[in-house]
């Protein structure tokens, strides 16, 4: 089967059928007619087997995950994702693998109204690159550079769960039953906060998605905003599953530095509290935890009352292999 057949067989009509896609998979390039007057938001991410997911990881989950990490970047900007392109490097002809990959990718794409408009396949070690193209109204995108001293720091969901899920998958953590599958699903099928991100931009100017680990990603905000941050140990969220399966010390390490969470980390001016309460109260909104505040003094600190605690190291991109 040639390159054309691989794409045509598996990736034509993947995801949402959008009327603003004038020409999708099958020509030299795609043609789209994005909404007028909006800024385009473009992000790209590469997943490499052994580095971003374990060898032998289910193809459907890889398909889901490769799109999810890009949708999460869109969410962090407050953008609506519209189109995706896909560059796939696979070791050999594996038609069943391709069909499964496409199924996982398509199921998430449909949820978010994203159309796959183009792709390319080559032979080599398993590597997936997805580019996402979205839109946001002019001057409304959230940026890492907009945190101000006095802003409150929030995170959605339960950071640390995905790192625990990966540890379970790799046999570094023990656990059974519903708690095990909850944590594993957080790694295998992250749910990007796309709807929440689009609402959040009404009240927040500064947001990042947590991919490297909470502390490291907060550090990116601090560097770009030229501020610091204080995290309050007692306010850090920890899911019941994580608390039950991992030691207290390990749990804290994963909450602060585990990575792969794809939650949103953002700042809110306390004056916007009432408006923020309205924004976060829609059906299906994620849990939002206030974990600290932005400071004028540089650096990220973790405080237990008045006592400063040591911070974990950030995400190690080579730890999976
Ligand atoms: Mg990101």
């Amino acid at each position: 089967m040639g390159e054309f057949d691989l794409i045509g067989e598996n990736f034509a009509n993947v995801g949402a059928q959008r009327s603003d896609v004038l020409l999708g998979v099958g020509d030299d390039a795609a043609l789209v007619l994005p909404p007028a007057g909006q800024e385009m938001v473009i992000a790209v991410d590469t997943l490499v087997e052994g580095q971003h997911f374990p060898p032998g990881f289910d193809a459907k989950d890889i398909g889901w995950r490769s799109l999810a990490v890009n949708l999460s970047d869109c969410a962090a900007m407050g953008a609506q994702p519209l189109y995706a392109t896909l560059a796939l490097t696979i070791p050999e002809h594996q038609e069943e693998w391709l069909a499964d990959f496409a199924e996982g990718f398509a199921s998430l794409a449909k949820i978010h109204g994203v159309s796959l408009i183009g792709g390319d396949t080559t032979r080599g070690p398993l590597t997936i690159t997805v580019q996402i193209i979205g839109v946001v109204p002019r001057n409304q995108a959230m940026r890492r550079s907009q945190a101000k001293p006095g802003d409150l720091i929030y995170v959605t969901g339960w950071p640390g769960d995905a790192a625990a899920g990966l540890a379970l998958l790799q046999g570094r953590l023990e656990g059974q039953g519903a708690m095990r599958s909850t944590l594993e699903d957080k790694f295998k099928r992250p749910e990007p906060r796309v709807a929440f991100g689009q609402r959040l931009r009404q009240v927040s100017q500064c947001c990042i998605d947590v991919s490297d680990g909470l502390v490291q990603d907060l550090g990116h905000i601090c560097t770009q905003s030229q501020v610091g941050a204080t995290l309050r140990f007692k306010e850090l969220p920890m899911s019941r599953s994580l608390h039950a399966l991992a030691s207290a010390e390990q749990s804290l390490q994963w909450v602060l530095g585990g990575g792969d969470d794809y939650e949103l980390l953002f700042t809110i001016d306390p004056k916007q509290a009432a408006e923020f309460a309205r924004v976060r109260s829609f059906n299906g909104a994620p849990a939002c935890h206030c974990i600290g505040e932005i400071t004028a003094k540089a650096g990220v600190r973790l405080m237990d009352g008045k006592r400063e605690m040591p911070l974990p190291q950030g995400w190690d991109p080579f730890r999976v292999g």
Side-chain angles (χ1 to χ4, degrees):
M1 202 188 269
E3 179 195 318
F4 175 82
D5 295 315
L6 282 179
I7 297 172
E9 289 252 324
N10 294 286
F11 299 109
N13 305 314
V14 161
Q17 301 304 302
R18 301 190 59 90
S19 59
D20 52 7
V21 176
L22 309 180
L23 190 59
V25 170
D27 211 309
D28 289 305
L31 295 170
V32 296
L33 195 61
Q38 303 220 26
E39 293 174 4
M40 299 203 80
V41 177
I42 301 164
V44 64
D45 249 304
T46 294
L47 301 184
V48 179
E49 183 179 52
Q51 218 176 93
H52 300 95
F53 56 86
F57 201 54
D58 185 279
K60 286 180 196 161
D61 293 334
I62 297 172
W64 174 288
R65 204 159 187 283
S66 64
L67 180 60
V69 301
N70 283 276
L71 293 178
S72 183
D73 283 330
C74 259
M77 305 300 287
Q80 179 190 2
L82 300 176
Y83 324 115
T85 61
L86 166 69
L88 199 52
T89 304
I90 49 174
E92 58 204 53
H93 289 314
Q94 295 174 307
E95 274 146 53
E96 198 180 332
W97 190 95
L98 278 170
D100 285 346
F101 176 91
E103 188 185 323
F105 188 102
S107 58
L108 183 61
K110 281 190 187 130
I111 290 171
H112 294 286
V114 170
S115 178
L116 182 70
I117 58 170
D120 185 27
T121 56
T122 51
R123 205 61 39 80
L126 183 58
T127 305
I128 304 107
T129 297
V130 175
Q131 180 185 48
I132 192 85
I133 301 148
V135 290
V136 66
R138 292 210 68 175
N139 300 318
Q140 287 187 32
M142 296 179 285
R143 300 173 188 222
R144 298 177 180 185
S145 59
Q146 298 302 304
K148 306 277 187 296
D151 284 355
L152 299 174
I153 303 165
Y154 282 83
V155 69
T156 58
W158 307 100
D161 280 10
L166 177 60
L168 284 163
L169 287 164
Q170 294 182 313
R172 292 182 283 115
L173 179 68
E174 301 281 310
Q176 297 305 326
M179 285 184 172
R180 182 189 182 102
S181 46
T182 299
L183 294 173
E184 285 187 351
D185 284 350
K186 284 298 293 278
F187 181 82
K188 292 194 285 191
R189 299 232 166 184
E191 293 187 16
R193 305 296 191 185
V194 176
F196 181 68
Q198 288 176 75
R199 287 173 169 83
L200 184 62
R201 67 166 194 255
Q202 298 169 31
V203 289
S204 174
Q205 284 74 52
C206 178
C207 184
I208 190 170
D209 69 316
V210 182
S211 53
D212 296 344
L214 199 157
V215 169
Q216 193 159 322
D217 286 313
L218 180 57
H220 295 321
I221 284 181
C222 290
T223 302
Q224 295 209 16
S225 296
Q226 297 182 286
V227 295
T230 297
L231 294 174
R232 288 188 301 270
F233 169 68
K234 290 200 168 63
E235 308 298 329
L236 292 173
M238 191 176 294
S239 76
R240 271 190 300 152
S241 303
L242 180 59
H243 182 71
L245 296 191
S247 70
E249 191 185 349
Q250 180 66 82
S251 302
L252 180 63
Q253 297 287 314
W254 278 334
V255 168
L256 292 171
D260 289 318
D261 299 302
Y262 303 105
E263 298 290 353
L264 295 184
L265 179 67
F266 55 96
T267 65
I268 296 285
D269 182 335
K271 290 198 278 292
Q272 294 274 41
E275 192 67 357
F276 178 48
R278 188 187 61 75
V279 158
R280 66 193 272 194
S281 67
F282 68 98
N283 207 354
C288 293
H289 306 100
C290 184
I291 56 172
E293 56 273 319
I294 297 293
T295 58
K297 187 180 167 194
V300 177
R301 280 165 298 277
L302 175 63
M303 302 300 292
D304 181 10
K306 291 204 161 68
R307 184 174 70 93
E308 184 164 355
M309 298 173 69
L311 284 168
Q313 297 301 304
W315 187 69
D316 173 5
F318 300 106
R319 91 214 123 100
V320 176

